[in-house]
Amino acid sequence: MSRANLQRGMSQVILLIVIAVALGAAYVAIDLYNGGEKDMALVETRGVQMASALSAFKRDQGAYPDALDKLVPKYVLAVAKCPAGAPMGYVSSAGEYMLSCTNVVFKYRPYTYDSRSKRWSG
């Protein structure tokens, strides 16, 4: 086998390795994106239930509660959980509130609802 043939063969092997690595990285990125989309939909569904309960609590009590536990059992059966299993985060301030779950968007960024803007972001 000549040196030129050996170099050509090595170039082809390296090209195949680069293609395999690129395909693997694309697969991981698509998997993270799809998983994040499903998790965001789950958080929004559970968040709407909590927002509804918070509105009912404020209508009855005149202000938002200082913790989501105060909604149980009259307004909701249980505090909503994030996809990872932790309770949904809640912060109330100046007549507004935020609901959030960590590690949702691409499995490392939080996904948050702001009652002031009435939008989810992440």
Side-chain angles (χ1 to χ4, degrees):
M1 189 174 224
S2 72
R3 184 168 175 84
N5 285 342
L6 184 61
Q7 282 183 332
R8 193 175 321 129
M10 287 301 292
S11 294
Q12 290 172 347
V13 168
I14 290 171
L15 178 61
L16 288 173
I17 290 171
V18 168
I19 290 170
V21 168
L23 288 173
Y27 174 79
V28 169
I30 289 169
D31 186 51
L32 284 174
Y33 178 78
N34 286 338
E37 288 287 314
K38 289 176 189 171
D39 288 348
M40 287 187 289
L42 181 65
V43 170
E44 283 185 24
T45 300
R46 292 176 181 175
V48 166
Q49 294 169 347
M50 296 308 296
S52 177
L54 285 163
S55 293
F57 184 95
K58 183 177 182 181
R59 190 173 45 252
D60 292 348
Q61 306 294 323
Y64 291 116
D66 56 353
L68 292 177
D69 292 338
K70 303 246 170 118
L71 300 173
V72 178
K74 183 176 180 182
Y75 302 96
V76 291
L77 295 177
V79 172
K81 298 217 183 270
C82 297
M88 189 171 277
Y90 169 73
V91 175
S92 175
S93 173
E96 301 293 336
Y97 64 89
M98 292 180 73
L99 296 170
S100 65
C101 284
T102 59
N103 303 325
V104 174
V105 181
F106 293 115
K107 304 291 184 188
Y108 74 94
R109 291 183 55 201
Y111 198 52
T112 305
Y113 176 77
D114 182 1
S115 69
R116 183 170 295 136
S117 65
K118 301 205 180 330
R119 290 188 180 162
W120 288 93
S121 62

